[in-house]
Each structure stands twice: as structure tokens, then as C-alpha cells.
Amino acid sequence: MLDDPRTVRITGDDTAAVFRRADDVDAESRPEKHRDTPVPEAYVWCNLTSGNSARALWLLLLPFMVVNLAHWMRPATAGRPRTVRLYGLLVRLAGLTLTVLLVAAACEVALDLAAWQCAGTPACAARHSWLGLLSPAAGGWWSPPGRRLVLAALVPTALTGLLWYLSHRTWSAYESQQPMSRDPEPEEDSGSGSLGRPGFWYGRRLVARLRAAHTAAGLLTVAAAVAAPAAAFDRRPGGPAVLDVLGWLLHAALLAWTAAVVWVVCRRGRSERRLDRRLDRHLARRLPLGALLLLLLTAVYTGWSRPGWTSTGRLAGDTAFGGLALVQSLLVIALGITAHALYRTRPDPRAVLRGLGGPAVATLACALGGVMSGGVCQRVADWLDGTGTSIPGPPVTLTWQASIIPPVLLVLLVLCGRLAGRTWRLARALRTTVEQEHPGEPPDPERTRRIARTRAMATLTDDAPLVVGVVSAVTLALGAAALTGALTTGRTPAGAASGTHPALQGAAQTAQFLGSWLIGLGFALFVTWGRRAYKDASARRTIGILWDVGTFWPRAAHPFAPPCYAERAVPDLTWRMATWIRSTGGRLVLSGHSQGSVLAAAAAWQLTPQVRGRVALLTYGSPLERLYGRWFPAHFGPDALEALHRDVNCWRNLYRLTDPIGGPVRPDGDRGFEVDRAPLKDPLAYGRTARHPLPAPVLGHSDYQADPAFAEEREQLLARLRPDLPAQRHEPPDGTPSDGHEPPDGAGVQGSAGRSSG
């Protein structure tokens, strides 16, 4: 990035740091040497997203990350603060159901399939010697059903504890950096929008509160799964009255603590108007500890000796998973109604799906959680039951949910076919345009086709809203049909279709078979991808790149989502820019590529208006409008981008028609200085020339700095900054007075994330 093999880290650590060329380390102490040349700096943050092999485990948290994205996708609105709060509340509740779903899947595997069904069936227990301790044939102390459930409950309890630990550890490692303290700008005077609020990048209080609530919810889910079978046995006629009363009291306590968890989730959202350093320590400690205490009491209650109690059939998995699916469907529908109400207050034609991007993504998050949960349960059931006849298997609801995968994939395949056809036709139409852009060049049909095809494929990014909208709508409709079929028939799709028309029977059997096979294949690919990422650094880097967008946003809806790297990167950049300008009185060109341009904009918003006026922006390959402006209109919409254009000294944006990620910014308003430069040439040369004797590559999203336009625009930005700033007294960072020379001419601060962002 610095175009020099000799670089020195001047501030930061191994996770993220600012580097300079060795010749520029003393720029502040010798300003006369750098009066006419910029002092380039590079902010490197790639280890925040693609560092060690443990990052591969973040794949398991994918549904949590996706639902957290839905929180930030709300439409821009004029007023309506209560509706905005309702939107955030609904997303947080959807995130809570995903935590319960994950722990319920672990309970299904450990308690129902392993401890209840397989260990209670002699044929199944004989095939798995590790279950001999729990088998009734062994007659051991752990063989009664209740004690088997208590011992198996250690698995989902450990999973919940692991999620709590990861959330707490990643917060300390990535998100505990406090932004610069400053007074909030008056709402009417601030053009920075929500991302410029002092507390936007410091959500410690909310994350701690949500972490406590979700941890308690996971423990309560385990307690309910353990207590429900024992309570059902105690309610039978002639059962022990004492245990029956204790069961009712325990269930009442679980319901009361569950209400407390939901109240904590609903109580309050983010505090962004100021830097909130407070922490609800009593709540963060007592809520999980209370749930853990109830789990221990449940274990004692369930493990009590009950003569005559045997494990037959399934546990109440259909009721649990069906209830979760119903609640998630209702939450998604309510979220869609709320998003539509917000969108109507300030319609934005560039917002995806007319403001329904958030509900669509929340639907996909719930579907992804269901597929992952069902995949784990189905694969464990197949592994335990080698013959397929000894145990009942997973709940019928999961089988119905797996059966909707083939029709969803069929719709997706048809949609992709249409997009492929449209792209092919567009590529053919663009050949003429490419030839017209290079008059006088010897014709090269193959090169023309390659350039036109690259441009056409780059437009597929703009079709993502259509794909997400169609898939989420089909998933919601088919999911509702599957839930209805499971709850009304109580049988698998093939069993429910028996005795009907042969075509319907064949369709049901095919969907059930393919669904089970596909969900197993998907789970296997998921595990394989995670293992490869664990061992292969290049694969980890790829996952880190995919995580750039998902982990840019703070954990506002789910505390177990992967950590937000921007809560480290944005304060880093803000501190560096503010302290450099304050100590030198200099001016700054802040350049960023791809995701780095989003960090640059977020950091510029965090500066005070006086400092923002001394900063010029140079963005290239930037998704600010093409992705963020359309998918996150409340934070990167037209008003926010125009405010940034108005507040910084100047701004230029570079993009290519072959770039599938970057695009024009298109801020509203007219300040007499265009932000977007005309699309850059790509490739730089069509045919072989004296300057390019070999074919020039089609660069697409990479190597913007190799284009002469980059250096040209940077020089123009520096030239625009110079007349506005008189010579000022320079003070080095150590506070000693200087000799009165002018400060260095400028400093470029650039961000990088592996290969995709810079």
C-alpha cells in the first residue's frame, strides 16, 4: 500500500495498526522536509476479520450475524421514533428466538435422540458402547430416564456457556475501544446522521444486557427440556402429589424468569446520543445466575427416583419447534408491517424491496437457523439409528421443514436461470459498446467478449434484492404450509400424503427424501468448509472477506453474533485523524478502497465539524451507495451521503463498470464539485501497444492505485486543500514547541482487509 519495502509501525498493535514508510517516520519533527510532499500512512485492519484459525468457528454463528444485519436495514424515516423502537424490538425478539432454536436443537440431539430414544432402546444402545452407562439394561445409577436427561443436559448447557464466553471474550478483544469523548452535535445542525453520534460505536451496555438475557434464555430452554418429561409423568393419575406440586411450582418459576428475560430484551435499545460507559452489573450477573439456579433445581427434580418411568416415543420436540417456527413467522410479518410504515414516511426509490430488506433478511436468518438445526438433528439421528427402524427419530416438524428445501431450491434455480439469460443478452449487447470505446483498434472478438461479459456479470450485484426478496417470500409461504402440515397431521409429508393421488404421494415422498439428503449434504459441506478454513489460511482470508459486511455493524440485535470490527477500526481512525490534525494543524486526504471506504466514511462522520472540514475523501471501488446506501438506507441513504459531501472539504470517488462491488456514490445536491469521476477505463489498454506489449488485465475490483487516475485525483484533492489552510505553528506529538515551519503537506490514511478491501 505504501509502495515501499521499508515500513515502520508507528502506532497500534498486532491486530490493527498504522504504518509509515521508514523515511517518513520523523515527518512531524522535520516539517520542512515534507512541506511539498504528502506523508502517506496505511491503516491495516485485515486481522480483525481474517486472522487466526479460530475465526472459522464464526460460521456456526451465521444466523445470528444475519439477523443482526436486519436490525440495521430499517428504512429511513421522518420522525416516528416509536415505530423505529418497535422495529428494533421485533428484530431483537427474532434474535432471541434464534438463540432458543439453537439450544433447543442441542437439547433435541443430546436429550431426545441420544439419552431418551437411543439409550432407552436396547438395539440402539448396543451399537453405541458409549451409551452403555445410560442403558436400562446395564441397571446403573444413571439408567433411569430422568437421570439420563440430567446427564445429557450438560451438552446444551456447555454450548450456552461457550456462547457466553465467546461473546464476552470477543467484546474485550475487538469492541472495547472507546471512541473520542465529545459533546453530541445538535440534531438540527448535525449532518452526520446516526453514524456520527458519539455512542454509535460503543454498545457495551446493550451487548452486556443482551448477553445476559440470551444466556439466561439458553439455560431456561435446557431447564424446560429437562423438566417437561418429568412433569408430564408426575401428572398421570395416581402419581405422587408432592412431585406434581413441585413440578407446577418449578414451571411457574421458569415462566416468571422467562418473562424477566423477555422484559430485559424489550426494555431498551441502543443509546447512541452519548458515550454510555455505564453497565448494568446486577442485571448482567443475576439474570444468568438465576437461570442457572433454576436449571440446577430442575436437575434435582427430574433426577428424583420415579419407579415405573420408561422412555418411549419422542419428547415434545414437535411442540417446541413448531411453536418457535410460529413465533418467528409472526415476528417477521410484524416486522414487515413496521418497515412498510416507516418507508411510507420517506419513500426512497433506491432502498431495496421498498424498505422490506430488513424483514426479508430476518426471514432468511430464521430459515438458516432452522436448516442448520434440522441438519444437525437429522444427521445425528441417522448416525445413531443405523437401521432406520430402532428409534422414532427427530420431530416431524423438522422433517416437514426439510421437505420445503427442494421447492425453494427449484425456485432459486429458475430465478438464477433467468438472471443468467439476462446477463448473457446484456453481454452480447455490450460488445458493440466496447468496440465503440476503442475506435481505430484492431478488432479482437475474444477480448471484446471477455470485457463485455465482465461488465454484464458485474451488474448481477444489483439483482441481489430480487433474489433475496423472492427466496424469502417463498420460504415464508412454504414454511407456513409445512408448519400447518406438521401440526395438523402429526406425520411426515410422505405419511400424510399416503392414500391420496399417486402424483401427490410421489411429490411428497420425493420432497421428503431430497430434503433429508440436501439438508445432510448442506450440513456436511458446512462442516467441511469450516474445517478447511481452520487449516488453510487462504480459506480463512476468504471467509474474512465475506464477513466484512456482516461484521461491520455493532451487535445490536444478537450478542452471540461475530464481533464488530468497526468498533475497533472506527475509533482507531478517528483518534488518528483528530490527533494528527490537532498536533500539526495539517490537512488530510483520507482514502479507502472497498470496505475501507465505508470505514473512512464512518470515521469522518465521527469527527467534529471543524476537523471534518479539513479532511478530503478519496474512495475507490466503494460500495457506499451500491450496497450500503440501498440495503441500509437509514444510515447510508441519500441524505447521509449528501451530508458527508457537504461537511468534508472535498470528495472524489472512482469506480469501474467491471467492478461488481464498487459504484458511483451519487450524493444529492450540487456544490459545484462532482464526487463521482467518469468510469475508469478497464482494461487500461484494449490491444497490444508499446506501453502495454502484453494484454492488459481486466482489473474489476482490484488495483485501483495502479490506474493513473488515482494519483491524478489525489494530487487534485491536495491542491484543493492547500489554499484553504494558512501556515500554522506546528507542535510535535510530544508537545515541545516547533520552529514555526509549515506542517507536512498531507497524510493519506488507508484501510485494508485482506485482498478485497483497502
Side-chain angles (χ1 to χ4, degrees), residues 64-74 87 91 335 357-363 365 557 631-632:
F64 303 156
M65 184 190 75
V66 176
V67 78
N68 192 67
L69 280 177
H71 172 89
W72 301 105
M73 288 181 176
R74 68 169 177 83
Y87 182 95
V91 179
L335 188 65
V361 169
T363 302
W631 287 95
F632 308 98

Side-chain angles (χ1 to χ4, degrees), residues 16 138 232 667 689:
T689 64

Side-chain angles (χ1 to χ4, degrees), residues 125-149:
R127 286 194 302 270
H128 303 282
S129 58
W130 54 277
L131 288 175
L133 178 67
L134 306 179
S135 175
W141 192 84
W142 292 104
S143 60
R147 293 171 187 169
R148 277 188 272 146
L149 295 177

